[in-house]
Amino acid sequence: MNLDTLKPQITDIINNNVDVKKTMQSICDLLQSNIDTYNWVGFYMAHQSEPTLHLWSQAGIPTDHLVIPFGKGICGQVAVSNSNFVVEDVHAQDNYIACSIHVKSEVVIPMFKDGKNIGQIDIDSNTINAFNESDERFLEWINVQVATLL
Ligand code: SME
């Protein structure tokens, strides 16, 4: 699907923001229900003092991993690398936290506010190698929109 077709709906959700966690939830729901390969969508946000990531909102099968230490798993690595992480095959990763046996690929895109890595959007797919550069650009765009609310 052309991901850009979802941008007007995301802009509407952002413009109607009242409660940022609910806004993030609406974005998770929109992505997970409209994009076949986005089987799980969540926002993990950084708590720098601990230092850990905390799950603020998610769509898809509930995960036990509500808090992830910096450095652990794909998400924790992105918290310290400040770089996108596209995982073609999660089973080929040593430092990976499994949330569901069905997941085959994953993408994690950091979110920045005033140059600081404040969290990330995490997408799991039950399809191998599900993510490309269009997904990266689209998810970066979403993070920029969400960061304006934080
Ligand atoms: N797979 C992630 C953990 C989060 S779940 O996918 C919901 C990781 O390795 O960091």
Side-chain angles (χ1 to χ4, degrees), residues 122-136:
D122 176 20
I123 320 281
D124 285 344
S125 182
N126 299 345
T127 303
I128 197 139
N129 196 12
F131 305 106
N132 59 31
E133 286 186 12
S134 318
D135 297 280
E136 288 186 76

Side-chain angles (χ1 to χ4, degrees), residues 40 44 63 68 72-76 96-97 99 106 122 124:
W40 188 93
Y44 281 100
T63 177
I68 297 176
K72 288 273 168 69
I74 308 302
C75 296
Y96 167 69
I97 302 166
C99 284
E106 177 164 4
D122 176 20
D124 285 344

